[in-house]
Amino acid sequence: MQVIFEKTWEDTLSEQQKQAFIQQYSRKDLINGGFTASPILLKKKRNGGLVATVFLQNNSSVPLSLHAITAHVINELGETMAHEHFSLSLEIPPYTATPWSFVFSPEHMKSAAEPADTWSVLVN
């Protein structure tokens, strides 16, 4: 599976930053079948919100069009720490992954806890 970058990311990231994403993805466990989100970085914002940067993975043989998503940040106990609806326009070719950031506003946070490496991001 290869990493591709959405046009805005392609235009703004340096080659070094792109290579860092590609290297990070190469160290992840691959998940077969369907659509998944694999966390890269969860970072609390000063305003109390959260930025969740993930690899969106299309693990199928058909292109994937994303227009509306609900993203959930889940802690290690299975509790929802944040959830929000997002509108986007993103095409992910078959068997590729693309980095993407979801920015959760403070009112969509369910907890003020600091994000941990054990947290996950679910999208549907």
Side-chain angles (χ1 to χ4, degrees), residues 97-119:
T98 189
W100 193 260
S101 290
F102 295 104
V103 181
F104 294 85
S105 58
E107 58 269 12
H108 290 95
M109 300 299 299
K110 307 294 182 199
S111 169
E114 284 295 321
D117 290 342
T118 54
W119 289 15

Side-chain angles (χ1 to χ4, degrees), residues 71-75 77-83 108-111:
H72 307 265
V73 177
I74 310 295
N75 72 8
L77 301 175
E79 301 165 330
T80 299
M81 305 308 282
H83 103 285
H108 290 95
M109 300 299 299
K110 307 294 182 199
S111 169

Side-chain angles (χ1 to χ4, degrees), residues 4-7 35 56 58 62-67 88-94 96-98 100:
I4 62 163
F5 297 93
E6 183 270 339
K7 182 169 176 23
F35 168 63
L56 296 176
N58 180 3
V62 296
L64 179 65
S65 295
L66 301 175
H67 300 286
L88 60 153
S89 181
L90 186 62
E91 300 286 327
I92 305 175
T96 61
T98 189
W100 193 260

Side-chain angles (χ1 to χ4, degrees), residues 45-64:
K45 295 181 59 139
R46 289 183 195 179
N47 70 358
L50 179 78
V51 176
T53 302
V54 300
F55 283 114
L56 296 176
Q57 300 168 208
N58 180 3
N59 303 304
S60 72
S61 61
V62 296
L64 179 65

Side-chain angles (χ1 to χ4, degrees), residues 11-55:
D11 293 344
T12 57
L13 293 176
S14 69
E15 275 306 311
Q16 184 178 7
Q17 290 169 315
K18 291 176 194 172
Q19 287 305 312
F21 276 113
I22 292 167
Q23 288 176 3
Q24 185 172 15
Y25 187 73
S26 71
R27 293 188 298 265
K28 290 200 166 287
D29 294 331
L30 295 179
I31 300 168
N32 293 323
F35 168 63
T36 60
S38 175
I40 300 169
L41 177 66
L42 300 172
K43 185 176 180 181
K44 196 164 190 173
K45 295 181 59 139
R46 289 183 195 179
N47 70 358
L50 179 78
V51 176
T53 302
V54 300
F55 283 114

